[in-house]
Amino acid sequence: MRLRAALGLLAALLSGGAGTQPLDSALDDEHIPRILAFGPWPPPPVRDPSNRASGEPAAIAFGAALFGDARLSRDGSVSCASCHQPARGFSDGLPRAMGLQPGIRNTLGLHNLGGQRWFGWDGANDNLWAQSLRPLLDEREMGSSLAQVAHTVRSQPDLREGYRRAFGQPPDADDERVAVDIAKVLAAWQETLVTPRTPFDDFRDAVARGDRLAAAAYPAAAQRGLALFLGRGRCYVCHGGPTFSNGEFADIGMPFFIGRGQVDPGRHGGIQALQRSRWNLLGLFNDDPARSTATSTRHVVMEHRHFGEFKVPGLRNLARTAPYMHDGSLKTLREVLRHYSELDENRLHTDGEAILVPLRLSEQETEDLLAFLDSLNDPPAPRQ
Amino acid sequence: MKRRLALVAGLRMAAEALACGETLGQDARRIEQPAYVLAWVSAPAPVPVGRHFAIDFVLCPRDGAPLPAEVRVDATMPEHKHGMNYRPSVSARGAGVYRAEGLLFHMPGRWELVFELRGSGAPLRLAQSLQVG
């Protein structure tokens, strides 16, 4: 265990030691376990037992091709890649998604999805293939149907051949089975979308192995931002772990009105949709007879507090996925930090999370947090 | 004489408490109440943050107390005023041995783990505070 070796060394590491420039570090030994918990990165690939296409090269290749194929939409005008654009971290740069019709939420990026418990801002799906089927069928997105997707795959020779290669047999007459399988190859490809290593990962690994020179290369402003992230800001409480997300849901005081008399219920509605879904991990389409990844679905509980909660997003390569929040209402990360700095406590339920308080960030603290968030990009992005 | 009897009784109770759940290994944690001792371990151990875990526990009645008809397990973060996002299921395996599954602590910090013994009377609450992450 490297932790013991690292304990007691962080101050020395970050002071640079002999022959290097001393750094202005706010980090101390108490931060080490939390820093190490943000890695290692990248995580080892893990197959999804609920998806027999997961990790299969032919399925991954077919999924990559289908991702940009507009034939899967109702009128042949929209593909997955229309909204999930690779150059934008697989998001679209818009406040709210625009498929065949305007959507109500910001388009989430698609990196680092493997192994997650919940998918989408409301966690309405417990697996990536069901989450991939949803936009195919949603009227506002690709507007297709199980029958149309299955018919398209059966009738187009290249798609029929891709299906045969992925599953070892041609598509059969069961529309739902074929459409779900298409979602499974889309999922198999998306599982391979992992953000690269970042300057933060180099720092984290240097701390783990007690490498003084490498640790000292991490910018002082990013160190101060990290100390704030772990300290007074308590950001790590929700944004913890290698993806910088606990994978759960929170109400951080964002508006949930989506128009006159309309409310986005967030997680509350997500749990209802999950429990109604034919394609959740407790259903017939799970390829794992043991239902070994269905623990969350079996035990999830719906309470009133879940109203207005949305998924805690990961923070890797965040610079590419602006604008931010479930409604895309904050254009830059600076605006996001201002939100946390000036948090409206009256907006938050008075009996809700006691963890959220206005951070009242100084200009310097804002810059430091931005420097830390920059270090989670590869390459570091221009400051917003 | 009275003092000696009290000492013997105390030693007997301490021995009972230590004997409770000895099959769980030396890492078992214990909660003691006048009528029950409860010993528990998590799987995996230590309790992780952000991942599901199970709890194996043994309930040892004292002085003829009955085993409860039902045991519920839950956990809260008192400082944050919230609980888990999951409701654990508890299966009885006979002779006071139980397993709770489906727990998940989604935040690091101080949690209070609660075992609620339900029978004919008012529920009895056995709680223990633990720091995770």
Side-chain angles (χ1 to χ4, degrees):
Chain A
M1 180 61 184
R2 294 283 187 181
L3 176 58
R4 182 168 293 178
L7 284 169
L9 291 176
L10 192 56
L13 288 171
L14 299 178
S15 69
T20 58
Q21 179 145 4
L23 297 176
D24 174 16
S25 180
L27 293 165
D28 58 39
D29 287 354
E30 287 185 9
H31 293 126
I32 289 180
R34 289 173 185 160
I35 292 171
L36 297 186
F38 292 131
W41 195 263
V46 177
R47 285 194 178 208
D48 175 0
S50 76
N51 178 3
R52 68 193 189 285
S54 175
E56 296 294 335
I60 292 168
F62 188 34
L66 285 175
F67 192 80
D69 197 325
R71 287 176 291 178
L72 293 180
S73 66
R74 183 180 67 221
D75 62 2
S77 67
V78 180
S79 73
C80 307
S82 301
C83 293
H84 296 286
Q85 301 161 16
R88 295 180 184 273
F90 292 92
S91 59
D92 57 11
L94 301 171
R96 297 182 187 190
M98 177 60 78
L100 292 176
Q101 300 171 28
I104 62 167
R105 294 181 183 147
N106 181 249
T107 299
L108 279 163
L110 299 181
H111 280 117
N112 308 329
L113 295 174
Q116 292 200 18
R117 276 189 299 278
W118 305 115
F119 298 86
W121 283 111
D122 60 4
N125 287 300
D126 58 3
N127 66 79
L128 186 51
W129 43 272
Q131 179 68 7
S132 303
L133 185 59
R134 187 196 56 76
L136 296 177
L137 307 181
D138 191 317
E139 285 187 358
R140 294 166 300 190
E141 300 190 44
M142 296 169 75
S144 191
S145 64
L146 297 173
Q148 185 179 346
V149 170
H151 173 74
T152 302
V153 173
R154 287 191 205 102
S155 62
Q156 302 290 311
D158 61 326
L159 302 187
R160 186 177 175 84
E161 176 59 12
Y163 185 101
R164 190 196 61 75
R165 285 186 182 173
F167 293 106
Q169 58 188 39
D172 64 19
D174 184 335
D175 290 347
E176 186 174 21
R177 174 72 58 191
V178 172
V180 170
D181 282 347
I182 290 304
K184 285 181 175 175
V185 297
L186 286 166
W189 180 65
Q190 290 168 83
E191 285 169 359
T192 67
L193 304 176
V194 177
T195 53
R197 282 179 59 83
T198 68
F200 172 81
D201 296 311
D202 293 340
F203 168 73
R204 181 259 174 211
D205 290 356
V207 170
R209 63 178 187 269
D211 184 336
R212 173 177 300 195
L213 281 176
Y218 191 55
Q223 289 181 39
R224 292 193 300 270
L226 173 58
L228 190 53
F229 192 88
L230 298 172
R232 186 169 73 83
R234 303 178 76 190
C235 315
Y236 77 98
V237 172
C238 292
H239 291 285
T243 63
F244 292 86
S245 168
N246 64 1
E248 293 291 324
F249 304 83
D251 178 358
I252 57 163
M254 296 301 295
F256 42 71
F257 292 102
I258 51 176
R260 183 183 290 261
Q262 284 187 301
V263 168
D264 185 342
R267 180 59 171 154
H268 199 272
I271 296 174
Q272 290 176 316
L274 168 82
Q275 293 175 336
R276 281 196 307 266
S277 174
R278 290 173 53 79
W279 306 304
N280 68 35
L281 290 174
L282 300 177
L284 295 172
F285 293 88
N286 184 343
D287 292 329
D288 173 18
R291 305 288 189 264
S292 60
T293 55
T295 304
S296 297
T297 313
R298 281 193 195 97
H299 292 93
V300 70
V301 61
M302 183 164 61
E303 295 182 354
H304 181 71
R305 66 186 167 89
H306 293 129
F307 200 92
E309 288 185 346
F310 293 91
K311 181 95 181 275
V312 175
L315 303 182
R316 289 181 176 273
N317 271 16
L318 205 53
R320 291 183 176 78
T321 60
Y324 302 102
M325 304 303 188
H326 75 274
D327 59 358
S329 60
L330 302 183
K331 294 189 182 75
T332 65
L333 289 175
R334 192 179 294 277
E335 288 188 15
V336 172
L337 294 183
R338 187 178 303 132
H339 170 79
Y340 283 107
S341 187
E342 301 170 359
L343 210 55
D344 179 0
E345 288 182 279
N346 292 327
R347 156 62 189 83
L348 288 168
H349 305 300
T350 51
D351 61 347
E353 290 273 8
I355 190 174
L356 286 172
V357 294
L359 292 180
R360 309 285 181 222
L361 298 169
S362 69
E363 276 301 310
Q364 183 63 56
E365 288 174 323
T366 298
E367 292 300 322
D368 291 343
L369 275 170
L370 288 171
F372 167 63
L373 294 173
D374 281 351
S375 78
L376 304 181
N377 296 303
D378 179 60
R383 181 66 54 82
Q384 294 173 321
Chain B
M1 185 64 181
K2 270 188 180 174
R3 189 179 290 175
R4 185 175 294 172
L5 284 174
L7 180 63
V8 169
L11 287 172
R12 183 173 61 84
M13 289 183 76
E16 278 176 5
L18 281 173
C20 180
E22 59 187 0
T23 56
L24 297 175
Q26 58 185 11
D27 292 333
R29 299 180 63 165
R30 288 176 175 79
I31 307 171
E32 291 187 52
Q33 289 214 345
Y36 296 95
V37 178
L38 187 148
W40 67 273
V41 291
S42 69
V47 171
V49 177
R51 284 197 297 140
H52 280 291
F53 64 96
I55 287 182
D56 291 301
F57 63 100
V58 178
L59 187 63
C60 306
R62 279 174 160 161
D63 296 330
L67 281 174
E70 181 188 5
V71 182
R72 294 183 185 177
V73 177
D74 201 355
T76 61
M77 286 193 98
E79 291 171 31
H80 296 183
K81 299 187 206 170
H82 66 64
M84 294 187 293
N85 292 328
Y86 303 90
R87 180 174 295 129
S89 55
V90 178
S91 54
R93 301 185 167 192
V97 178
Y98 301 83
R99 184 173 175 87
E101 294 182 305
L103 293 96
L104 189 146
F105 290 174
H106 59 283
M107 292 180 178
R110 184 152 293 282
W111 286 80
E112 186 176 67
L113 183 62
V114 178
F115 300 83
E116 191 175 90
L117 315 187
R118 301 172 78 91
S120 54
L124 181 64
R125 195 169 176 274
L126 282 71
Q128 191 163 62
S129 180
L130 61 155
Q131 177 76 29
V132 300

